[in-house]
Amino acid sequence: MTRSALSFPAGFLWGAATAAYQIEGAAREGGRGESIWDVFCRVPGAVADAQNGGVACDHYHRTAEDIALMKDLNLAAYRFSISWARCMPDGVTPNPEGIAFYSRLVDQLLDAGITPWVTLYHWDLPQALEDKGGWASRETAERFAAYAALMHEALGDRVRIWTTLNEPWVSAFLGYAAGIHAPGRREPAAALAAVHHLLLGHGLAVRELRRRDPEATLGITLNLTVADPADPDREGDVDAARRVDGQSNRLFLDPIFRGEYPADVLADVAHLGMADVVRPGDLDVISAPVDVLGVNYYHGDAFTTDPEPRPAQPASPLVAADGVRQVPRGLPVTGMGWEVQPEGLRRLLNRLQREYTGPAGIPIYITENGAAFEDVPDAAGFVDDQARLAFFDEHLRALHASLADGVDVRGYFAWSLLDNFEWAFGYHQRFGLVRVDYDTQRRIPKASGLWYSRVAASNALTAMDESA
C-alpha cells in the first residue's frame, strides 16, 4: 500500500527547533549566571548519570557550523530560545556579552536567509529568581516583562517573531508539582501559582512588546494533548479524561483566548488556593491578543479511574488526580515510551480551530513535533532512522488532513535540529534530525534529516510505500 504525494500551501514555513540549555553549553562563559537547571542537575539522582547541559552540543562555539547545517537542510526558519541567565545573570541586570551572542546569532541566521523565531523562555529560569520564589512568586512575572523588553531592545530591529513561553505546563507541573524538572519542588499549590504567574508573565510581555513594536508577530507555545477516556461508556473514565484535558489544555487555552480559567478546573483545585493568587485585572492582561499560537504535539493518552489491576501508570502530574491513571492502548511507542498517535494531531488541530483560534482568526504553527528512538550509527556515524522518518511522515500527513479540514496551520518545526541534553534523561534520548557525537561534537544528518530537507525544499511529501 502506498501513501500518496501531498503538497503544502505556498508559503508554508519549514523549520527546526532547539532550546538554549539543551544545546548551547558554555555554562560558565560570557558572564552567564546559573539557571535552575544548572542547580537541579547537581541534585543526586535528578538527571540520568548525573549529566548536565554544561557542554551539551557546544552550540555557543559552533554557531556558524550549525547555521551552515540548517542551510544545507533547506530550513527556512530556526526556532531557538534565549537563555535568560546568559542575558541577565541575576534575572535583573543586563549582561552585554550574553546579549551580544544572540545578536550575532540573529545576524548569521539572516545572512543565511533563515528566519529567526525567538522563544524568550524555555525553562531555564535564573537561579537568583528561584531563590526569591521562582514562578510561584508574582515578582517573577514582572521580571519576565522587563527581560522581554531588554531582548526586544537588543534584537527587535531584526527579529519579527517572538514567542513568550515554551510549554508553561511543563514549567509549572513538572517543575513545581512533580519535582522531576527544575527546580525540583513538589508543592501542588506552588505549581498552580506558577501556572498563573507564567501566564501573567506572558501577558505582561505581550503588552510590553506590543507597546514597543505594534507590527511584531507575538505568540506563545503550548504543549497540548488529546485526552481520551479508556472506556467512553464508563463515567469515571470520562471524568478522568476531563480532568487531564482541563489541567493540560484548557487551563492554559481558556485564559489566553477567553479571559477566564475553566470553572470545572477551578472547582477541582479549589482546595489548593489558586484563586488567591489571581488579582483583579490579571486575566485582562493574560488575554491580550496574540498573533499566532504555537502548538507542541508528541502524543495523546487514554485515562481511567478503574482500580482493577491492569497495565497502567499514574497520570501526568495532575494536582487534583483522584486516582486518574494512564492506560496503554497497544499503539507503537517511542524511546520515551510515548504512544505514536498521529491522528490525535488532526483531532487536536481541528478542536483548536473550532473552539479557540478560528473564532479569533489566529493561525497555528506546529512549533515542536518529533520522536526519540534508539539510534544505531553505522561505522561512519550515519543513522538510518526509518522509525523517526515514518513518525514525521505520519504526523505531517495528519497535519495536511487538518488543512483539508479548514484549519489554518502555517508552518511546522521539527524537534529537534540536533541530538541534545534531554533534561532529566540526560543524553540518553535522541530526538535530532542530526546526530551529535558527544565525544567529538561531529554533526551527521540522519536519514530523517535528509528526508526532511527534501520535504522542506519541495514543500511536499512524496509517495511512500507503507510496507517499506
Side-chain angles (χ1 to χ4, degrees):
M1 183 176 179
T2 301
R3 301 179 195 155
S4 60
L6 297 172
S7 295
F8 285 78
F12 193 84
L13 187 66
W14 297 97
T18 66
Y21 191 74
Q22 293 183 270
I23 69 164
E24 284 182 2
R28 298 184 180 277
E29 295 183 45
R32 179 185 177 278
E34 282 204 318
S35 77
I36 55 175
W37 271 94
D38 296 298
V39 174
F40 184 68
C41 287
R42 295 198 292 267
V43 175
V47 176
D49 293 344
Q51 301 284 356
N52 59 61
V55 176
C57 305
D58 196 31
H59 173 73
Y60 185 84
H61 298 111
R62 298 170 186 267
T63 305
E65 175 186 353
D66 289 340
I67 292 174
L69 183 60
M70 296 175 212
K71 190 170 183 177
D72 288 345
L73 292 175
N74 299 309
L75 301 185
Y78 174 49
R79 176 176 174 257
F80 64 95
S81 78
I82 293 173
S83 166
W84 190 349
R86 191 177 295 285
C87 296
M88 301 177 94
D90 60 0
V92 178
T93 308
N95 173 32
E97 191 172 353
I99 295 168
F101 167 72
Y102 294 104
S103 185
R104 291 192 300 272
L105 172 59
V106 167
D107 284 345
Q108 291 175 74
L109 288 168
L110 293 172
D111 288 345
I114 299 169
T115 297
W117 187 298
V118 169
T119 298
L120 286 167
Y121 185 73
H122 196 132
W123 311 348
D124 47 354
L125 185 71
Q127 180 61 36
L129 294 183
E130 176 58 30
D131 292 341
K132 296 179 180 179
W135 286 110
S137 167
R138 188 181 186 90
E139 181 183 354
T140 301
E142 297 162 351
R143 294 296 185 190
F144 181 69
Y147 158 60
L150 174 72
M151 297 317 303
H152 188 273
E153 182 178 342
L155 308 177
D157 58 330
R158 290 156 290 158
V159 171
R160 308 307 305 145
I161 305 171
W162 298 84
T163 295
T164 54
L165 306 174
N166 179 78
E167 299 186 355
W169 181 91
V170 172
S171 296
F173 286 103
L174 298 191
Y176 289 84
I180 58 175
H181 272 210
R185 292 165 63 175
R186 297 184 179 182
E187 306 165 37
L192 288 170
V195 167
H196 181 67
H197 295 141
L198 282 155
L199 291 173
L200 181 62
H202 154 76
L204 290 170
V206 166
R207 187 170 67 180
E208 180 64 27
L209 294 172
R210 189 79 71 197
R211 182 184 68 81
R212 290 171 168 271
D213 187 356
E215 303 303 316
T217 298
L218 309 179
I220 187 171
T221 283
L222 303 177
N223 58 309
L224 301 172
T225 190
V226 175
D228 292 320
D231 181 351
D233 295 323
R234 187 174 183 276
E235 184 177 350
D237 291 7
V238 172
D239 190 61
R242 176 196 65 78
R243 287 177 180 271
V244 174
D245 177 63
Q247 294 183 37
S248 298
N249 298 332
R250 293 181 288 115
L251 186 60
F252 299 90
L253 289 164
D254 282 20
I256 293 169
F257 288 97
R258 298 175 179 170
E260 61 185 11
Y261 287 112
D264 64 311
V265 178
L266 290 180
D268 290 341
V269 303
H271 60 294
L272 294 171
M274 184 175 184
D276 296 337
V277 302
V278 181
R279 296 182 185 177
D282 282 1
L283 285 160
D284 291 335
V285 174
I286 292 169
S287 59
V290 293
D291 304 300
V292 298
L293 174 65
V295 173
N296 293 355
Y297 176 82
Y298 290 93
H299 63 97
D301 290 298
F303 297 94
T304 187
T305 55
D306 186 350
E308 292 297 318
R310 56 174 168 163
Q313 58 186 3
S316 296
L318 305 179
V319 293
D322 288 353
V324 174
R325 298 190 299 161
Q326 178 186 328
V327 181
R329 292 173 287 189
L331 297 173
V333 297
T334 69
M336 300 283 282
W338 297 343
E339 293 183 340
V340 178
Q341 190 193 2
E343 61 83 23
L345 177 58
R346 182 181 183 182
R347 280 198 283 149
L348 173 63
L349 291 172
N350 285 10
R351 178 195 181 184
L352 290 171
Q353 175 86 2
R354 182 176 63 251
E355 299 182 17
Y356 295 100
T357 59
I362 294 171
I364 296 170
Y365 288 80
I366 301 302
T367 40
E368 287 183 27
N369 178 238
F373 289 103
E374 187 175 351
D375 292 342
V376 180
D378 64 16
F382 178 73
V383 174
D384 187 16
D385 56 337
Q386 293 300 312
R388 184 178 292 106
L389 190 159
F391 180 98
F392 283 126
D393 181 79
E394 291 165 1
H395 284 78
L396 284 168
R397 289 177 185 278
L399 187 160
H400 193 279
S402 76
L403 290 171
D405 294 335
V407 182
D408 186 8
V409 185
R410 305 276 182 93
Y412 178 94
F413 290 80
W415 184 268
S416 175
L417 173 67
L418 304 169
D419 290 339
N420 53 50
F421 175 76
E422 191 48 48
W423 309 112
F425 293 94
Y427 297 95
H428 296 280
Q429 296 289 349
R430 292 176 176 262
F431 280 84
L433 295 168
V434 176
R435 176 177 172 80
V436 176
D437 182 327
Y438 295 118
D439 293 328
T440 65
Q441 290 295 340
R442 183 184 176 202
R443 277 88 157 120
I444 307 169
K446 304 174 188 177
S448 62
L450 299 175
W451 172 87
Y452 188 68
S453 72
R454 295 191 293 271
V455 171
S458 64
N459 198 34
L461 296 171
T462 58
M464 289 188 67
D465 184 352
E466 291 184 331
S467 63

